[in-house]
């Protein structure tokens, strides 16, 4: 019943790299069953592209297969459905996008025809590919489907799902023939939790992260040196980065990914801002602008802002907008800052100078996204307040995952505005500061 794909002639997406192809072949062979198979996808490595290929292969090559593809958010589930539709190898009767009936977000136009809500559960269960959020998958239990009804469960962005949330779709493939595939990155943002009680019980650690910290899935540089240092039956780590300029990729690759990420971004795209006139060093599209601003708040709000930094951020936006050498569309620029108040202040200043197209938001709002140019405003300027942030789990300091996501969104330019005297207290920001000094990308106030 199961036919293995020959390396090249049977892929629906022929542009997959060697690791992506290996992952698809492993998923199709199902050798890891019933143990979950993990697709470890660092930033910009084409994790969702790989999952979509695997779903298509399972659908077309295993006639008895029934697939449920989930993600913790509607936007991530929509993306899978859009990519499956765009592949051209899925027809209307093959796939259904199951939405909660109370869904308010807009649905991408291309997948409207696949959409039903949970009032049509009975109908949805007849499709061979169901795409939904992890929590909406729970509705399917009410149909009393026999164990093993679904043969394959795919969870994308599994690092952002709480473990109970991830177990909902996994429960639909119970039994030793069911295959579970979790895709994500344990070094990017985990589940967002509001409850300190939930955090104290470990619910901020996703199933993906917990499995990867266990013995079975552990990195082993002696036994698996030819397979990216992980047991190839259980884990594939993708390493080709299709997003970032080499000078932007080097540090996160060293800090989080054993310096294994390879620069595969298309040259014209990644070099488009390398000659910008505001760069401290031409050819290195990285700026760390040291500022001793002042952090302020309104009343006793836990959210802070830094007017000096906000003004400097807007100056950089204007310099990009008016650049003679590197014209860039404003929609290609993103501004990341960890405090709501700073988001508001920057938006206000931008609108005063007639700029509305730039997305300004928190790290959480940028996870999974990329932009040619990213400007980060770190805000914190008072050393005494760092403990306050840690207690409120806000800010950038003492949060390696937030740091990682912030610095890996940019394709061709990264500008960081912050106070080096405060940031150097955090090992990750300190390493960024040292790296910028080393490559002559630092400008601004005196260094600590």
């Amino acid at each position: 019943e199961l036919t293995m794909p020959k390396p090249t002639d049977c892929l629906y997406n022929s542009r997959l790299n060697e690791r992506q192809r290996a992952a698809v072949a492993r998923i199709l062979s199902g050798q890891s069953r019933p143990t979950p198979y993990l697709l470890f996808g660092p930033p910009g490595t084409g994790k969702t592209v790989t999952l979509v290929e695997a779903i298509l292969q399972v659908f077309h090559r295993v006639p008895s297969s029934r697939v449920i593809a989930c993600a913790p958010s509607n936007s991530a589930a929509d993306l899978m459905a859009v990519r499956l539709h765009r592949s051209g190898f899925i027809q209307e009767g093959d796939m259904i996008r199951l939405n909660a009936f109370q869904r308010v977000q807009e649905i991408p136009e291309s997948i409207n025809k696949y959409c039903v809500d949970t009032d049509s559960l009975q109908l949805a269960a007849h499709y061979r590919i169901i795409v939904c959020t992890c929590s909406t998958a729970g509705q399917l239990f009410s149909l009393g489907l026999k164990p093993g009804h679904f043969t394959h469960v795919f969870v994308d962005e599994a690092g952002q799902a709480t473990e109970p949330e991830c177990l909902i779709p996994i429960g639909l493939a119970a039994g030793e023939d069911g295959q579970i595939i979790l895709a994500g990155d344990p070094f990017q943002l985990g589940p967002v939790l509001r409850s300190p009680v939930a955090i104290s019980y470990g619910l901020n650690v996703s199933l993906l992260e917990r499995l990867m910290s266990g013995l079975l899935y552990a990195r082993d540089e002696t036994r698996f040196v030819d397979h990216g240092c992980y047991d190839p039956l259980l884990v594939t780590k993708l390493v080709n980065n299709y997003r970032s300029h080499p000078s932007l990729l080097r540090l996160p690759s060293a800090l989080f990914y054993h310096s294994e990420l390879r620069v595969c971004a298309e040259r014209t795209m990644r070099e488009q801002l390398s000659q910008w006139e505001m760069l401290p060093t031409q050819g290195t599209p990285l700026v760390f602008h040291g500022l001793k601003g002042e952090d302020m708040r309104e009343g006793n709000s836990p959210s802070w802002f830094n007017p000096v930094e906000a003004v400097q951020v807007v100056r950089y936006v204007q310099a990009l907008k008016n650049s003679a050498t590197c014209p860039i569309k404003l929609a290609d620029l993103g501004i990341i800052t960890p405090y709501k108040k700073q988001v508001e202040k920057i938006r206000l200043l931008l609108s005063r100078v007639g700029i509305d197209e730039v997305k300004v938001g928190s790290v959480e709002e940028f996870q999974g996204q990329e932009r040619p140019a990213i400007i980060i405003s770190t805000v914190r300027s008072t050393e005494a307040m760092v403990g306050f942030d840690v207690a409120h789990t806000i800010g950038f300091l003492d949060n390696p995952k937030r740091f990682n996501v912030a610095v890996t969104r940019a394709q061709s330019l990264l500008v960081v505005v912050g106070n080096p005297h405060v940031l150097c207290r955090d090992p990750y920001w300190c390493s960024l500061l040292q790296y910028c000094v080393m490559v002559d990308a630092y400008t601004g106030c005196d260094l600590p």
Side-chain angles (χ1 to χ4, degrees):
E1 169 181 22
L2 189 62
T3 49
M4 282 295 285
K6 297 188 196 76
T8 50
D9 57 353
C10 308
L11 288 168
Y12 296 100
N13 180 351
S14 58
R15 294 166 63 184
L16 261 55
N17 64 50
E18 196 183 339
R19 290 264 177 109
Q20 291 172 317
R21 289 168 188 233
V24 170
R26 294 277 176 211
I27 291 166
L28 197 55
S29 74
Q31 284 166 292
S32 70
R33 285 180 300 192
T35 317
Y37 179 88
L38 306 187
L39 182 63
F40 174 9
T45 54
K47 164 180 63 64
T48 307
V49 169
T50 311
L51 271 197
V52 164
E53 177 70 30
I55 292 169
L56 289 170
Q57 292 284 348
V58 165
F59 176 75
H60 287 289
R61 287 172 188 281
V62 187
S64 61
S65 65
R66 284 203 183 93
V67 172
I68 181 156
C70 295
S73 66
N74 270 316
S75 54
D78 288 342
L79 181 65
M80 276 195 288
V82 167
R83 295 259 175 95
L84 283 162
H85 164 70
R86 276 198 201 143
S87 74
F89 295 103
I90 290 290
Q91 288 165 357
E92 225 171 300
D94 300 334
M95 172 175 83
I96 199 142
R97 170 71 178 95
L98 181 63
N99 290 294
F101 72 89
Q102 67 272 46
R103 171 173 179 168
V104 286
Q105 292 118 301
E106 214 174 313
I107 293 167
E109 202 178 323
S110 63
I111 56 166
N112 255 325
K113 60 183 181 188
Y114 299 98
C115 287
V116 298
D117 66 30
T118 44
D119 291 341
S120 312
L121 274 183
Q122 203 74 48
L123 168 76
H126 288 92
Y127 284 76
R128 279 186 55 211
I129 300 175
I130 298 179
V131 182
C132 61
T133 62
C134 295
S135 49
T136 299
Q139 301 273 343
L140 292 160
F141 284 95
S142 67
L143 295 176
L145 303 171
K146 62 182 191 307
H149 174 85
F150 291 102
T151 57
H152 294 74
V153 173
F154 290 84
V155 183
D156 197 8
E157 300 298 357
Q160 290 181 57
T162 64
E163 184 159 339
E165 197 179 3
C166 203
L167 290 172
I168 298 169
I170 287 175
L172 291 163
E176 48 208 56
D177 293 333
Q179 194 175 350
I180 296 150
I181 300 97
L182 306 180
D185 179 0
F187 299 104
Q188 292 187 64
L189 291 172
V192 178
L193 291 180
R194 300 267 176 264
S195 160
V197 179
I199 293 170
S200 71
Y201 281 98
L203 283 171
N204 55 336
V205 177
S206 65
L207 178 60
L208 176 86
E209 185 176 356
R210 187 169 69 77
L211 290 175
M212 285 203 73
S213 62
L215 213 57
L216 196 59
Y217 293 91
R219 188 180 167 86
D220 187 330
E221 296 183 11
T222 46
R223 286 172 64 205
F224 305 122
V225 69
D226 297 335
H227 296 282
C229 303
Y230 291 96
D231 182 342
L233 292 179
L234 295 172
V235 183
T236 300
K237 177 183 179 181
L238 303 177
V239 291
N240 288 12
N241 174 285
Y242 297 99
R243 175 177 297 161
S244 300
H245 187 279
S247 59
L248 306 184
L249 192 61
R250 194 171 300 131
L251 185 76
S253 179
L255 289 176
F256 299 99
Y257 305 106
H258 294 88
S259 292
E260 288 170 348
L261 301 189
R262 301 181 195 138
V263 177
C264 297
E266 199 257 317
R267 186 174 288 276
T268 32
M269 184 272 291
R270 70 181 199 231
E271 297 289 349
Q272 63 181 319
L273 296 166
S274 294
Q275 303 304 317
W276 184 42
E277 51 270 29
M278 299 284 285
L279 294 174
T281 302
Q282 295 292 299
T284 303
L286 176 63
V287 184
F288 194 120
H289 190 120
L291 270 186
K292 287 181 176 171
E294 189 185 352
D295 34 3
M296 304 157 85
R297 60 176 172 170
E298 289 165 356
N300 55 3
S301 152
S303 194
W304 296 77
F305 63 98
N306 185 324
V308 180
E309 276 189 25
V311 168
Q312 186 58 56
V313 165
V314 173
R315 281 194 193 128
Y316 275 119
V317 173
Q318 289 175 302
L320 276 165
K321 181 187 174 193
N322 303 324
S323 169
T325 50
C326 305
I328 178 177
K329 293 205 292 283
L330 288 172
D332 287 344
L333 174 59
I335 298 170
I336 300 178
T337 184
Y339 302 96
K340 279 203 178 75
K341 269 284 169 267
Q342 187 75 342
V343 169
E344 285 172 24
K345 300 291 175 195
I346 292 172
R347 280 187 188 149
L348 188 67
L349 286 177
L350 286 171
S351 68
R352 281 192 189 150
V353 293
I355 295 173
D356 302 315
E357 308 93 306
V358 177
K359 175 170 173 161
V360 188
S362 66
V363 188
E364 283 74 8
E365 291 172 69
F366 275 92
Q367 171 133 333
Q369 298 192 19
E370 58 190 21
R371 293 280 190 289
I374 289 285
I375 302 174
I376 299 173
S377 168
T378 59
V379 181
R380 264 287 164 248
S381 239
T382 315
E383 295 187 43
M385 293 309 301
V386 172
F388 174 94
D389 284 356
V390 175
H392 284 78
T393 63
I394 55 175
F396 274 135
L397 301 181
D398 207 38
N399 194 324
K401 291 178 178 177
R402 209 173 267 170
F403 168 85
N404 184 26
V405 174
V407 300
T408 52
R409 302 302 96 201
Q411 296 168 306
S412 28
L413 172 70
L414 177 65
V415 178
V416 178
V417 180
N419 184 332
H421 297 266
V422 173
L423 293 175
C424 72
R425 293 184 46 179
D426 177 281
Y428 292 91
W429 287 98
C430 190
S431 57
L432 176 64
L433 186 58
Q434 287 170 327
Y435 173 67
C436 290
V437 171
M438 187 181 82
V439 298
D440 290 326
Y442 183 82
T443 185
C445 69
D446 58 309
L447 285 160

